[in-house]
Amino acid sequence: MNQCAMAVLEEYPDIVFSYGYGDEYSFVLKKTSKFYQRRSSKISSVIVSFFTSVYVTKWKEFFPLKELRYPPSFLSQIVCCASLEILQAYLAWRQRDCHVQNQYNTCFWELVKKGGKTEMEAQEILKYAKEQDRNELLHQQFGINYNDTLALLRQGTCIFKTEVEDIVKYNEDGTPVKRLRRKAGIFRSENIAGRRFWNAHASLLKELGNFSEDCFKTNPDYIRSFLFESKLMPSTWIVIRIDGCHFHRFADVHEFNKPNDKQALDLMNLCAVAVLEEFHDIVFCYGVSDEYSFVLKKDSQLYQRRASKIVSAIVSFFSSMYVMKWKDVFWKKELKYPPSFDGRAVCYPSNEILQDYLAWRQVDCHINNQYNTCFWSLVKSGKSKSEAQNYLKGTQACEKNELLLKEFGINYNTLPLMFRQGSSIFRVKRENPTLIENDASSVEKIETKIVTEHCNIIEQSFWEAHPSILN
Ligand code: GTP
Ligand code: MG
């Protein structure tokens, strides 16, 4: 977790402080940040996506002998702290939670592992124990002074950048030439919201300001009131659209075929199928290039329709899957760096408007693909990129098709359907439902299967042929 947070800090310069424990991390962006024009959905989805990708990428480094059995995913949400005092109270709240949870867990596992109690018994013993009682229990029964236990677990971890001196080269006489560089480092303190810790770090004072008073007690409800939690309108289709971040670079670095790389699209499709399997409320997925749209049914109550939870869960799961499945698709290509995706949620009130949305995406697919096919054919034939761009300026669809046919012998309409129409993924009823025996007593009937098709979803006939998708 700490290494992933460190990578996040290196990736996004606007993050100036982070604090984490257990399975959570908080990242503080500077007040003046213009990251993604401060669009909350983009900021939180990109960070959680990158974090997840790094987590899966680094897994083998930390667990060389353990297989990652399924894709981990994380939820994210934004908290806007209107003043430094609120940020201070927020941090005090998170560190307090870290302490309470760790103290409980330390007691619980001592009782189970050394005290010979069952998990139920340990739970019962700790049910009404207060902080002081728990410390006494540890001390008296197990000879443990809680304050001597591992600081990493008791205090959590702060990561932020400080200026460090780096030796860049040596002069002829052997004296080192030093330069100041900002580097992320790990810090710990009993009280991260205290003045002593905070005000002792010049970089925190500079980036965030100083704490004028210590923060002794926080009311979690007060802090929670700053959580940015918008709920999506009831009884509307929810579309979560994710899009690869800077995929022009990602595609170049990984030498994707231009303009379409079948394997890269196959990988996107594999991940989308996994998303559909994981989130039962998703009824339809449509993907093109580095983007995917996931349609959730109108009456979905997933995460009580909280936008940030739904977006982050899907984008994080997708990113996880992308890294996990990379080797299945690109067996000869190494994943050079962790990819990330942004995500957003939009509500569509009627079937017609939802279909208009999907048609818009498919039209976009067609226009981009036709343009890109011409563009890259021209470039491959020896034109420079700007020459190709100028050549195509203002050309109509039929002119582009003519260019492809006459100059390059390409009949646009015979190019693979996946490139021209994108990919639609949905469930269909099985004609012969199979019976799967889970155990001796229960027999599950599998009535649907997931299919990936490359078809025209603009025309009404598709929706008429598959009435169960929207009904
Ligand atoms: P942001 O989404 O704004 O972060 O930038 P982006 O670079 O991801 O651009 P955008 O999402 O608008 O477009 C997707 C880009 O991904 C394309 O412009 C291509 O450069 C690249 N891409 C997607 N699919 C393929 C592919 O199959 N082959 C190649 N070569 N590139 C692809
Ligand atoms: Mg993109």
Side-chain angles (χ1 to χ4, degrees):
M1 291 292 289
N2 293 340
Q3 287 301 312
C4 297
M6 190 86 96
V8 169
L9 240 84
E10 296 289 358
E11 183 76 9
Y12 304 107
D14 279 6
I15 298 176
V16 288
F17 183 80
S18 68
Y19 172 73
Y21 72 92
D23 66 348
E24 73 163 61
Y25 242 101
S26 302
F27 297 98
V28 182
L29 277 83
K30 58 184 174 192
K31 240 169 136 177
T32 52
S33 174
K34 294 276 183 293
F35 190 42
Y36 280 119
Q37 291 101 51
R38 300 181 77 86
R39 276 184 274 177
S40 61
S41 173
K42 287 235 176 185
I43 296 173
S44 72
S45 59
V46 164
I47 291 174
V48 80
S49 168
F50 184 75
F51 187 95
T52 317
S53 279
V54 176
Y55 191 96
V56 179
T57 312
K58 285 192 177 284
W59 175 269
K60 268 272 163 283
E61 229 177 87
F62 290 87
F63 299 102
L65 301 176
K66 258 186 212 166
E67 190 198 343
L68 183 60
R69 297 262 172 87
Y70 66 89
S73 58
F74 299 85
L75 296 176
S76 65
Q77 59 194 327
I78 298 264
V79 189
C80 281
C81 297
S83 65
L84 194 62
E85 286 68 41
I86 297 167
L87 174 65
Q88 185 184 20
Y90 172 85
L91 295 174
W93 172 46
R94 294 327 302 142
Q95 193 173 36
R96 173 83 199 148
D97 260 21
C98 165
H99 162 70
V100 171
Q101 280 187 32
N102 182 57
Q103 196 197 33
Y104 180 95
N105 291 338
T106 311
C107 293
F108 181 87
W109 290 110
E110 286 297 321
L111 285 165
V112 172
K113 285 184 176 168
K114 293 196 197 137
K117 302 281 183 228
T118 65
E119 292 190 11
M120 287 274 276
E121 286 167 344
Q123 243 170 18
E124 205 51 40
I125 291 170
L126 294 172
K127 205 169 181 179
Y128 300 108
K130 298 219 168 61
E131 192 176 342
Q132 191 52 36
D133 304 332
R134 289 179 190 167
N135 270 350
E136 271 167 26
L137 181 145
L138 283 175
H139 191 62
Q140 283 167 9
Q141 289 196 32
F142 306 106
I144 293 173
N145 181 349
Y146 180 73
N147 289 332
D148 292 340
T149 61
L150 210 58
L152 158 78
L153 305 175
R154 256 184 317 119
Q155 302 172 350
T157 302
C158 301
I159 301 177
F160 51 90
K161 285 186 179 166
T162 53
E163 285 191 334
V164 290
E165 261 188 354
D166 258 2
I167 297 174
V168 282
K169 61 174 185 179
Y170 289 91
N171 290 323
E172 275 172 14
D173 63 0
T175 53
V177 177
K178 293 178 183 168
R179 204 177 49 194
L180 280 177
R181 195 167 71 86
R182 287 171 55 72
K183 198 175 164 206
I186 285 182
F187 301 86
R188 294 210 169 83
S189 163
E190 287 291 346
N191 182 7
I192 60 166
R195 281 188 304 169
R196 218 162 64 139
F197 169 71
W198 195 264
N199 297 350
H201 292 285
S203 61
L204 296 182
L205 291 177
K206 192 171 144 214
E207 302 281 2
L208 294 159
N210 79 311
F211 290 162
S212 50
E213 304 213 357
D214 276 326
C215 172
F216 291 108
K217 222 174 164 89
T218 56
N219 175 358
D221 286 335
Y222 171 65
I223 307 297
R224 279 195 203 100
S225 69
F226 292 94
L227 283 183
F228 182 89
E229 286 242 86
S230 72
K231 282 195 176 185
L232 297 163
M233 196 186 290
S235 303
T236 54
W237 297 104
I238 299 171
V239 174
I240 308 296
R241 182 162 85 244
I242 67 167
D243 186 291
C245 295
H246 312 307
F247 253 53
H248 61 279
R249 183 164 97 88
F250 189 79
D252 279 349
V253 169
H254 293 93
E255 295 171 335
F256 285 0
N257 288 334
K258 290 176 165 80
N260 292 293
D261 188 294
K262 185 183 171 313
Q263 283 172 300
L265 294 172
D266 285 344
L267 177 56
M268 291 291 287
N269 293 346
L270 267 179
C271 298
V273 168
V275 170
L276 188 70
E277 281 170 346
E278 179 76 10
F279 298 91
H280 298 280
D281 283 1
I282 295 177
V283 294
F284 189 77
C285 322
Y286 178 71
V288 33
S289 180
D290 66 340
E291 72 164 61
Y292 242 102
S293 297
F294 298 97
V295 182
L296 278 85
K297 61 183 184 185
K298 271 181 152 177
D299 57 356
S300 173
Q301 287 309 317
L302 186 63
Y303 297 115
Q304 292 107 51
R305 297 178 80 85
R306 285 194 180 97
S308 58
K309 291 244 163 68
I310 303 176
V311 172
S312 57
I314 290 178
V315 86
S316 175
F317 186 85
F318 190 96
S319 313
S320 215
M321 214 65 205
Y322 195 94
V323 179
M324 276 182 85
K325 295 255 177 213
W326 175 271
K327 266 277 166 260
D328 292 1
V329 176
F330 293 108
W331 9 285
K332 284 193 180 151
K333 244 180 225 177
E334 191 199 337
L335 180 62
K336 300 255 173 71
Y337 65 89
S340 57
F341 297 83
D342 67 51
R344 70 188 85 187
V346 186
C347 292
Y348 294 99
S350 68
N351 289 15
E352 289 70 35
I353 299 177
L354 174 67
Q355 285 169 20
D356 284 349
Y357 165 81
L358 293 167
W360 168 52
R361 296 324 302 141
Q362 192 164 47
V363 167
D364 223 47
C365 165
H366 165 68
I367 292 173
N368 287 334
N369 184 55
Q370 202 187 30
Y371 180 91
N372 290 338
T373 310
C374 293
F375 179 84
W376 288 109
S377 298
L378 288 167
V379 171
K380 281 174 193 166
S381 75
K383 287 210 175 354
S384 71
K385 287 184 182 174
S386 64
E387 280 169 348
Q389 228 169 10
N390 285 332
Y391 194 94
L392 292 170
K393 221 176 224 168
T395 51
Q396 301 293 309
C398 57
E399 293 168 285
K400 290 198 188 80
N401 276 356
E402 218 174 276
L403 166 83
L404 286 174
L405 194 64
K406 288 208 175 127
E407 299 284 328
F408 307 108
I410 297 171
N411 179 350
Y412 183 78
N413 293 325
T414 61
L415 292 179
L417 271 173
M418 176 159 73
F419 300 169
R420 285 184 292 128
Q421 308 219 324
S423 303
S424 300
I425 305 177
F426 48 96
R427 297 183 190 88
V428 291
K429 283 215 159 60
R430 277 182 201 275
E431 282 172 9
N432 304 309
T434 35
L435 296 177
I436 293 187
E437 283 191 38
N438 282 339
D439 55 53
S441 58
S442 74
V443 174
E444 195 187 338
K445 206 171 170 188
I446 305 293
E447 289 181 326
T448 59
K449 63 173 179 178
I450 292 173
V451 293
T452 304
E453 290 190 1
H454 315 292
C455 51
N456 185 329
I457 56 168
I458 300 173
E459 276 170 22
Q460 208 49 38
S461 54
F462 171 80
W463 302 101
E464 284 162 7
H466 302 287
S468 60
I469 296 176
L470 298 185
N471 291 314

